[in-house]
Amino acid sequence: MSDGIKLDTRLYNFTTRCVRCAECTFGYKDAEFELFCPIYKKFNFFTYSLGGMAQLARALHEGRIDLTESVSEILYKCTSCGACAEVCAEVDFRDMMELQHELRARCVEAGQVPFTHMAVIESLKKDDNVMQKPKAERGKWAEGLGVKDITKEKAEVYYHAGCKYCFDEELWPAARSAVNLLRRAGIDLGIAGKDETCCGGHAFELGYQGEFIKYAENNMEMLKTAGIKTLVTSCADGYYAFKVLYDMLGKKGDLEVLHITEYLARLIKEGRLKPTKSVAMTATYHDPCHLGRKVEPWIRQEGKLKAGEIYQPPRDLLNSIPGLKFIEMRRIKENAWCCGAGGGVIDAYSDFALWTAGERIEEAKSIGAEAIVTACPWCKRNLNDAVKESNGGLKIYDIVELVEQAL
Amino acid sequence: MSDVDLLYNELLSAFPEERVSRDQAILTSYATDLSSPPGVATLPALVVLPKTTDEVKSLLVAANRFKVPVVPMSRGSNIAGLAVPHKGEVVVDLRLMNKIIEINTDAAYAVVEPGVTHHQLSLAASKKGFINHLPTATGGGSSVANYLMRPSGNLSAKWDPDPVLALEVVTPGGDIIRTGSASFGTAGWRARYGPFPDLTGLFACSYGTLGIVTKMSVKLHDRGEEERLLITKFDSFPPALEYMKLIVRRNLADSVTFWNWVWNLFHELMVSKSQKLPEEMMKEDQRTPPPGMPFGIASARLSGYKEVVDAQEKTCIRLARELGGEHMPQEEIKATHPGTWAYLNSFFVEGIHLKPGEESTMRAALWLPGWLINAEPSGILKLEEEMWDFARREAKPPYMFRVLPFNHAREFFFAFVILITGSLDEEKDYMLHLRSAYATLYHELLAKHGAVMFRFRRDPTFLALTGPYGELLRKIKNLVDPNNIMHPGVNLF
Amino acid sequence: MVNIIVCIKQVFDPEAPASAYKIDAEAKRVILKGIPPVLSPFDENALEAALRIKDAHDSKVTVLSVGRNLSKAVLMKSLAVGADELLLLEDGAFEEMDSYATAFTLASAIGKLGGYDLILTGREAADTNAGTVGSGIAEILGIPSITIVRKVELDDGKVIAERVVSDGYEVIETPLPSLITVSNELGELRYATVKELVASRNKPIMTWNAQELGVEPPQVRQARLLSLFIPQKENRCEIVGGETAEEMGANLALKLRAAQIL
Ligand SMILES: Cc1cc2nc3c(=O)[nH]c(=O)nc-3n(C[C@H](O)[C@H](O)[C@H](O)COP(=O)(O)OP(=O)(O)OC[C@H]3O[C@@H](n4cnc5c(N)ncnc54)[C@H](O)[C@@H]3O)c2cc1C
């Protein structure tokens, strides 16, 4: 049993201003109005769209429905990719994200969350990671790299690997490549090894805002103690957390947050890294939501948060690799089709996550790509699993690996 | 077991489970639209997502057998409560019937299913050099449902405003009827009329009370080698109306619409990135525009061969001047009203809805459709006066109006829209007050100015005003739908 | 077969960071944004104690929880780790009960269930830290109880428990049925695998409201909440002076004695 939900006036207004225009299920004209909301494309009922969820939220506020298990399931099946809010004329992106954050936080408070998420959070609390792996194994990915440990030595730039890279052994090479490349360019780099902790972003997106605050406070404390001014990460979720969520919380201060693609593109432009070797393939690029939509709109809010989307740097990187033919899919940048892993869907509804990735793979195949390159460990993991499921035919790369190959 | 349970069980044998729902959480989203006051909603009994005409047929036959009423819904964007349940009906959500079956470039028409959106259709038509009738509505709305209700917006002057040709309709009895040329299996979908009385027209403006339309052929129009937007400004409404009248009578433009200054400021919101309505829109005296702003502008779409368009444009500008109006060259309007320009140009020239999102549009307020009404030009002039009176009496600013002429100047559409800036929680009474004020107003305006509601407003007393016409319709309704399962809550009959 | 009942309270995660807490002083309510309800930690220890007994003896473990807005998803964790059934006492009337009303309600439910051998509770709840409900249940049921226990064993109709005291522990024996309140020294609750979580969805969950339980919680509150606030903590730092290390040490000792710490 659970009570309804009272929203604040601003969010309630948003729910009543939905005109049911259904734009939230389409991409723009540039993407030929292809459907671009995964949950809607998969489950089809109006309910599974921003408009439908707005009506649902409205009903929760007006006390016409309780926060039942079915309601929670609908809310948690959303990959939280933000595509809908990009096109909605009635609501600002921030309001839509805030509504989602709010509803999920309420689900958490009511204990109305997928049990798989509870398991993720329980292990996060115990082991400081969202991969349900023992804390002690966190530093393993960097063994033998001989990179500085910022908890012991001073370094100028901190590399945050993130839970996914730390505990998913198949993804280690990309994190190791990142460290190698930055050091090769002469960057004074440090990591936190086994003392690194989760950024908390995943907890936030699952609605566990309290848990998130804990990690934000811990991380900023650690960075402050180590005197770090610049943070670079290969993890798209981490980038979003440090850059947007920490700022929303008022904790980011003047920490410079960079995604590895931004940093590498900058280093190549400055001539500090020179890709010369040919990497022959026809590849397309998949925009992670956490490097695009989910950070992009904040920049519009004058005087407010300034984030900024990362659309161009990865494309610049791909174009700088000799021999690589870079081609675009139809649904790109703010129109991108989500990989399916986001918003905790990969934990709770893995079949749906794979289906969504499968759709992306089909799109890549349809334009003749041999590989999908991405810049987010969650996207890579999910796309890779979907490729395996469909018996291959296409390769999935982390962009950093390709840059290293080209050097 | 209740009738709904019986129906549900039967549907489970005809539909895969993931396309029939009675989950309260799913149903809740179908209960409300923009017109629902807070806290007021009726849940549907079920929602079903058919994919084919045969599925629609089996659904209607079963619903008819168990006498469970249904509400057809194509995309549900009508904003006036026409596709939400009113007494626990089954919502037949047609969004998965979304195929464009044919674009016929020879005879210039398209055959589409009801789930096809304006976006889909205009893009497909555009790729072949055609434009469909695109209302100034949402691109996410269904072309079929919109055309069935008569679209207001684009292409309503030079071209016949009724884009509907032939239909495929499933009746509650389970018959699959095709109208127009399609009634003869071999004649194709090209024509509205055959040698018999027109049944397409019976289903138009029936709001789902007679059957479910599962296919429609619609007119397409040649885009022409040149497409242009012409803006002229006027300091009051009467000359603007005269200008529009002449334009349509003399076939000078594909369409023309007049927007008062409040509308234009509203359009401006699209590029202003503002979440607040501009100060000026809130002023009490909405009859007088703020300094430096014209009372309103007329936007006309011109298309065809370049020489012809040039000449048409010149003529329109001359007409405007003779009536005391003035041409607003592109550079001028782009500079003074960039948002208005972007909006109108995308609609009337590109024939595509403006990409929203990046530009905020209507976030600042809840917009409550006011009266949508049509009349002769002389009646329309009086409607403007009525509107100012009504607004002074009943409404808080901002309110805005727009007018566009249909069919060769015998029928003009007048839309009066009120924006509600507060929260629906706080403005509930105001909203309900306006609603009841509108209800009496429609009767008054019909009596005084011969003005007819453009779309049905769920007021059952109107059909009675038509006397024997209404009686005949009732007989037809009884014949087609003896159990009255087709959208009874819409209150047409 | 040993019939064990474990009483578990659902509380808001006590490990949530302080900055996530807000107080609505007027409504005397704690506002916790995005903080999940969890099983109260000492109650988890109690459940672990029950499961250890179950590991050794043929037993049935019933978990009992009372409140309003109980989360099945959260309480189902007890089923996933090995409890056999869950009984939720859920009713508007069960909201914000004081210790006495809670003990009364739980005792009524236990009485109605009947046939119990051992009742386990945590030593105190993580939100109120009152530590009286366990003993209260025993009192109402008229059975012996042992509080703050770090080890429980069953032996031939008796229970042998190690009770924590400040300088060690006492070993106490009582006949069954009896009630034991468990402390954290007993050890953490075991983990549930995702598979166990999935399987737990098929275990029985019963819900009784006040009417089904057949009792109304006592109307007269034994405790009333007067005000709710976050205590202001003040840290003062004083440097104790002195010429030499010895002198500094002596001065420090004097200060500590003055503050009645030494
Ligand atoms: C912001 C906004 C602005 C708008 N501006 C305009 C405008 O300027 N001009 C304009 O013309 N419209 C406008 N509209 C209205 C709207 O876009 C159209 O009416 C819409 O295209 C209708 O399609 P729909 O799928 O949403 O219909 P629905 O809402 O699904 O249905 C409308 C009615 O038709 C019935 N119906 C639907 N499908 C079928 C079917 N297949 N068979 C039988 N009956 C059916 C329903 O029962 C209902 O009574 C606007 C809407 C919005 C949200």
Side-chain angles (χ1 to χ4, degrees):
Chain A
M1 187 176 97
S2 162
D3 292 343
I5 282 180
K6 282 276 167 243
L7 298 169
D8 70 27
T9 304
R10 197 170 49 85
L11 292 181
Y12 174 60
N13 280 353
F14 151 37
T15 69
T16 61
R17 283 169 194 182
C18 166
V19 296
R20 302 213 324 187
C21 72
E23 297 275 1
C24 49
T25 57
F26 295 96
Y28 302 138
K29 182 187 164 206
D30 331 356
E32 306 224 322
F33 302 118
E34 250 179 275
L35 295 188
F36 75 160
C37 166
I39 183 175
Y40 175 74
K41 185 161 188 199
K42 172 78 179 155
F43 300 106
N44 300 314
F45 288 106
F46 169 58
T47 317
Y48 294 103
S49 65
L50 173 55
M53 294 209 198
Q55 306 298 334
L56 189 57
R58 179 180 167 176
L60 282 164
H61 177 86
E62 291 176 3
R64 288 184 280 111
I65 187 169
D66 285 340
L67 184 47
T68 59
E69 197 176 331
S70 311
V71 173
S72 152
E73 194 173 316
I74 290 165
L75 296 174
Y76 278 101
K77 272 187 183 160
C78 167
T79 57
S80 176
C81 75
C84 53
E86 276 290 330
V87 285
C88 180
E90 307 303 325
V91 60
D92 191 79
F93 192 97
R94 281 189 322 157
D95 292 342
M96 130 74 193
M97 289 320 274
E98 252 171 67
L99 180 70
Q100 185 175 59
H101 298 157
E102 182 74 22
L103 292 175
R104 286 192 171 194
R106 298 304 180 82
C107 288
V108 165
E109 290 155 25
Q112 201 62 273
V113 297
F115 60 87
T116 37
H117 286 181
M118 286 186 191
V120 168
I121 295 300
E122 197 152 315
S123 107
L124 172 67
K125 284 164 73 173
K126 184 160 139 273
D127 286 313
D128 291 331
N129 71 77
V130 292
M131 301 293 295
Q132 294 171 275
K133 290 278 172 62
K135 191 185 193 132
E137 291 171 16
R138 183 147 200 143
K140 271 191 167 170
W141 69 275
E143 267 171 22
L145 280 178
V147 62
K148 280 187 190 172
D149 181 341
I150 61 151
T151 62
K152 301 194 182 76
E153 302 158 79
K154 281 256 166 282
E156 215 165 282
V157 175
Y158 166 58
Y159 178 79
H160 175 86
C163 301
K164 195 83 189 160
Y165 280 116
C166 289
F167 293 99
D168 189 332
E169 211 170 323
E170 258 181 61
L171 301 177
W172 286 358
R176 296 174 67 91
S177 296
V179 170
N180 285 337
L181 286 170
L182 293 177
R183 286 201 299 172
R184 197 157 155 174
I187 307 294
D188 176 20
L189 194 71
I191 61 172
K194 67 171 182 15
D195 293 323
E196 185 187 292
T197 62
C198 178
C199 63
H202 200 61
F204 183 89
E205 295 201 289
L206 301 188
Y208 287 84
Q209 295 192 6
E211 212 51 35
F212 161 71
I213 293 174
K214 198 158 82 189
Y215 283 95
E217 285 174 350
N218 284 351
N219 270 305
M220 289 314 294
E221 193 58 43
M222 177 189 82
L223 295 178
K224 213 170 110 192
T225 313
I228 295 292
K229 299 242 155 44
T230 302
L231 175 149
V232 57
T233 180
S234 301
C235 178
D237 280 36
Y239 173 77
Y240 168 66
F242 284 110
K243 185 120 181 174
V244 177
L245 296 180
Y246 281 27
D247 212 2
M248 273 165 63
L249 195 63
K251 298 272 176 211
K252 179 172 157 288
D254 49 13
L255 179 71
E256 183 188 24
V257 179
L258 296 169
H259 187 257
I260 187 74
T261 52
E262 262 178 311
Y263 210 3
L264 292 178
R266 188 196 285 177
L267 294 172
I268 288 176
K269 210 172 189 177
E270 289 168 0
R272 290 163 75 179
L273 289 174
K274 288 198 186 71
T276 48
K277 290 194 207 130
S278 169
V279 183
M281 69 169 84
T282 304
T284 187
Y285 176 72
H286 166 77
D287 287 285
C289 308
H290 287 93
L291 291 186
R293 285 188 290 256
K294 298 197 76 157
V295 288
E296 173 225 345
W298 304 92
I299 211 164
R300 291 194 211 119
Q301 308 302 320
E302 291 116 294
K304 269 291 239 175
L305 303 169
K306 289 235 190 301
E309 79 279 12
I310 301 186
Y311 293 136
Q312 206 44 46
R315 290 174 167 78
D316 288 346
L317 287 180
L318 289 175
N319 283 323
S320 75
I321 296 176
L324 187 144
K325 186 174 164 222
F326 171 52
I327 53 176
E328 291 275 21
M329 290 184 276
R330 291 180 296 278
R331 292 174 291 184
I332 56 167
K333 302 181 181 175
E334 70 270 29
N335 273 328
W337 174 263
C338 170
C339 81
V345 170
I346 196 169
D347 307 311
Y349 307 102
S350 51
D351 287 352
F352 171 41
L354 285 176
W355 174 88
T356 307
E359 293 275 302
R360 193 55 158 168
I361 289 162
E362 286 313 310
E363 183 176 354
K365 280 184 182 165
S366 77
I367 59 159
E370 297 159 359
I372 300 180
V373 184
T374 188
C376 162
W378 298 87
C379 295
K380 178 169 178 197
R381 164 52 56 223
N382 199 40
L383 288 166
N384 225 354
D385 288 351
V387 166
K388 278 185 213 150
E389 188 114 311
S390 65
N391 298 322
L394 204 123
K395 285 213 157 55
I396 312 292
Y397 290 102
D398 192 302
I399 193 160
V400 181
E401 295 170 89
L402 292 185
V403 175
E404 199 185 26
Q405 277 181 38
L407 282 169
Chain B
M1 268 211 263
S2 72
D3 293 337
V4 171
D5 292 334
L6 292 168
L7 176 64
Y8 179 66
N9 288 343
E10 174 139 345
L11 290 181
L12 282 183
S13 63
F15 289 83
E17 213 178 330
E18 65 272 15
R19 290 200 274 119
V20 190
S21 181
R22 63 182 317 177
D23 177 346
Q24 193 201 0
I26 300 283
L27 303 184
T28 298
S29 296
Y30 286 86
T32 41
D33 72 4
L34 193 59
S35 71
S36 317
V40 183
T42 313
L43 278 189
L46 307 170
V47 181
V48 190
L49 293 165
K51 274 189 168 167
T52 62
T53 302
D54 284 338
E55 284 185 354
V56 172
K57 178 180 160 174
S58 58
L59 167 68
L60 285 189
V61 169
N64 202 21
R65 179 141 46 86
F66 299 114
K67 300 195 176 55
V68 178
V70 303
V71 175
M73 157 171 167
S74 283
R75 309 278 316 175
S77 71
N78 69 80
I79 58 179
L82 294 176
V84 295
H86 295 280
K87 35 185 83 163
E89 300 92 329
V90 172
V91 171
V92 186
D93 182 346
L94 299 160
R95 65 186 63 231
L96 293 182
M97 295 186 70
N98 58 1
K99 285 191 286 300
I100 297 178
I101 292 160
E102 185 186 357
I103 301 265
N104 188 311
T105 53
D106 188 23
Y109 67 84
V111 184
V112 294
E113 294 185 328
V116 170
T117 61
H118 287 309
H119 276 330
Q120 256 177 294
L121 180 58
S122 44
L123 184 76
S126 178
K127 280 185 175 169
K128 307 232 159 147
F130 289 87
I131 189 167
N132 59 313
H133 190 119
L134 194 66
T136 45
T138 156
S142 143
S143 301
V144 167
N146 183 241
Y147 295 169
L148 279 175
M149 295 194 293
R150 304 194 72 211
S152 82
N154 208 338
L155 307 193
S156 39
K158 187 158 99 185
W159 318 103
D160 182 343
D162 187 350
V164 186
L165 295 167
L167 300 179
E168 178 184 88
V169 191
V170 184
T171 66
D175 292 323
I176 299 174
I177 301 167
R178 287 190 176 178
T179 68
S181 55
S183 59
F184 297 102
T186 53
W189 286 88
R190 71 199 144 70
R192 168 85 175 246
Y193 298 97
F196 311 115
D198 167 37
L199 275 188
T200 300
L202 176 67
F203 292 100
C205 297
S206 70
Y207 312 97
T209 57
L210 293 172
I212 294 186
V213 175
T214 46
K215 283 189 190 70
M216 176 189 279
S217 55
V218 305
K219 291 176 198 166
L220 297 179
H221 305 284
D222 206 307
R223 292 195 81 113
E225 69 176 29
E226 178 78 11
E227 296 173 281
R228 207 175 290 172
L229 178 66
L230 172 68
I231 307 278
T232 43
K233 54 184 173 188
F234 291 91
D235 281 332
S236 67
F237 182 53
L241 186 72
E242 194 58 26
Y243 170 74
M244 293 201 283
K245 194 167 90 184
L246 294 178
I247 282 190
V248 290
R249 270 191 196 169
R250 292 161 189 179
N251 261 347
L252 284 169
D254 305 354
S255 65
V256 57
T257 310
F258 181 77
W259 320 78
N260 73 331
W261 62 270
V262 194
W263 253 114
N264 294 323
L265 279 180
F266 190 58
H267 287 146
E268 278 317 302
L269 279 178
M270 278 186 277
V271 291
S272 70
K273 301 183 170 103
S274 164
Q275 292 210 43
K276 269 220 197 109
L277 294 181
E279 203 71 357
E280 301 94 308
M281 279 175 78
M282 308 303 296
K283 71 194 202 93
E284 276 303 320
D285 172 19
Q286 298 228 327
R287 222 176 155 144
T288 325
M293 204 176 288
F295 173 77
I297 60 172
S299 60
R301 176 191 151 92
L302 310 175
S303 74
Y305 291 107
K306 186 171 178 308
E307 308 86 303
V308 181
V309 171
D310 282 344
Q312 283 173 329
E313 186 179 61
K314 243 167 110 182
T315 315
C316 289
I317 292 171
R318 173 165 69 81
L319 279 181
R321 287 218 176 101
E322 284 171 8
L323 290 163
E326 216 178 311
H327 177 217
M328 273 179 108
Q330 255 189 49
E331 306 70 54
E332 182 187 335
I333 181 150
K334 273 186 188 159
T336 58
H337 296 69
T340 310
W341 171 263
Y343 175 84
L344 297 176
N345 193 58
S346 117
F347 252 120
F348 293 102
V349 177
E350 289 180 43
I352 289 286
H353 298 257
L354 183 67
K355 166 178 159 182
E358 197 169 327
E359 300 82 11
S360 87
T361 42
M362 302 149 186
R363 288 164 193 165
L366 187 150
W367 68 307
L368 188 69
W371 1 307
L372 310 175
I373 216 157
N374 71 65
E376 296 186 2
S378 62
I380 287 282
L381 275 183
K382 303 215 178 78
L383 284 183
E384 193 213 8
E385 292 306 320
E386 291 281 355
M387 184 198 80
W388 296 124
D389 271 359
F390 178 86
R392 247 194 315 274
R393 233 177 31 239
E394 318 279 359
K396 300 182 248 179
Y399 30 82
M400 47 205 198
F401 78 97
R402 114 183 125 103
V403 177
L404 60 98
F406 279 120
N407 216 357
H408 288 80
R410 281 179 280 274
E411 199 187 6
F412 278 73
F413 166 92
F414 187 99
F416 172 56
V417 179
I418 290 181
L419 298 174
I420 296 188
T421 50
S423 155
L424 191 51
D425 265 346
E426 301 146 17
E427 302 283 8
K428 182 180 174 187
D429 292 341
Y430 178 47
M431 182 178 178
L432 294 175
H433 164 75
L434 285 176
R435 281 241 211 131
S436 64
Y438 290 155
T440 38
L441 194 82
Y442 277 114
H443 284 276
E444 228 177 274
L445 299 182
L446 177 59
K448 272 164 73 179
H449 310 298
V452 180
M453 59 169 67
F454 171 70
R455 273 180 196 152
F456 184 59
R457 308 287 303 196
R458 303 193 52 237
D459 179 344
T461 60
F462 269 88
L463 190 60
L465 299 179
T466 62
Y469 178 87
E471 277 158 32
L472 178 60
L473 269 186
R474 243 179 247 285
K475 282 183 198 151
I476 297 174
K477 163 79 176 172
N478 285 337
L479 205 64
V480 177
D481 181 20
N483 295 322
N484 193 24
I485 63 155
M486 296 304 302
H487 209 347
V490 82
N491 274 334
L492 184 63
F493 290 101
Chain C
M1 189 168 72
V2 193
N3 234 331
I4 308 173
I5 294 175
V6 185
C7 300
I8 294 188
K9 183 175 188 181
Q10 173 184 308
V11 298
F12 279 105
D13 187 357
E15 286 165 34
S19 48
Y21 278 76
K22 292 205 173 57
I23 297 270
D24 180 345
E26 208 141 296
K28 294 182 200 154
R29 246 169 22 96
V30 183
I31 302 166
L32 294 151
K33 182 111 177 267
I35 309 287
V38 296
L39 309 184
S40 184
F42 293 120
D43 299 353
E44 287 202 346
N45 302 130
L47 179 57
E48 178 58 28
L51 296 174
R52 286 183 193 171
I53 294 171
K54 193 181 167 187
D55 291 341
H57 305 269
D58 178 24
S59 321
K60 178 180 170 201
V61 178
T62 302
V63 168
L64 184 58
S65 188
V66 60
R68 178 166 184 259
N69 293 346
L70 293 177
S71 160
K72 278 197 185 132
V74 168
L75 288 155
M76 259 161 59
K77 177 179 170 192
S78 59
L79 296 176
V81 291
D84 299 289
E85 60 176 28
L86 186 58
L87 171 59
L88 306 180
L89 308 175
E90 217 183 5
D91 199 297
F94 299 155
E95 187 173 23
E96 287 173 23
M97 291 193 293
D98 60 15
S99 303
Y100 174 66
T102 308
F104 177 85
T105 311
L106 287 169
S108 309
I110 293 168
K112 191 169 165 170
L113 280 172
Y116 53 88
D117 299 305
L118 183 63
I119 302 167
L120 296 169
T121 72
R123 60 179 281 182
E124 59 197 60
D127 51 357
T128 58
N129 291 337
T132 47
V133 166
S135 313
I137 296 173
E139 181 69 27
I140 295 167
L141 293 174
I143 56 172
S145 74
I146 311 171
T147 54
I148 319 185
V149 163
R150 54 168 235 175
K151 190 170 177 195
V152 196
E153 264 167 9
L154 290 191
D155 184 25
D156 197 21
K158 294 184 310 251
V159 56
I160 301 152
E162 293 179 8
R163 179 174 191 277
V164 180
V165 288
S166 58
D167 51 355
Y169 63 88
E170 308 164 340
V171 180
I172 303 177
E173 190 186 292
T174 70
L176 293 176
S178 58
L179 183 141
I180 285 177
T181 79
V182 180
S183 187
N184 55 314
E185 289 85 348
L186 183 126
E188 271 185 32
L189 179 61
R190 56 198 66 186
Y191 258 79
T193 61
V194 169
K195 221 163 119 197
E196 287 166 331
L197 279 166
V198 175
S200 70
R201 295 173 83 86
N202 296 322
K203 288 192 178 178
I205 301 180
M206 295 178 290
T207 309
W208 293 349
N209 59 24
Q211 202 192 350
E212 284 159 324
L213 178 60
V215 295
E216 284 290 324
Q219 291 303 307
V220 185
R221 284 183 170 269
Q222 313 283 329
R224 247 175 337 121
L225 181 62
L226 295 179
S227 74
L228 195 63
F229 58 93
I230 296 179
Q232 295 294 329
K233 257 201 262 167
E234 237 182 275
N235 293 327
R236 260 184 301 141
C237 180
E238 199 179 321
I239 310 279
V240 180
E243 291 296 308
T244 62
E246 287 79 10
E247 201 183 314
M248 283 189 236
N251 285 345
L252 176 61
L254 286 174
K255 287 252 176 213
L256 291 174
R257 175 157 307 157
Q260 292 183 335
I261 292 169
L262 277 184

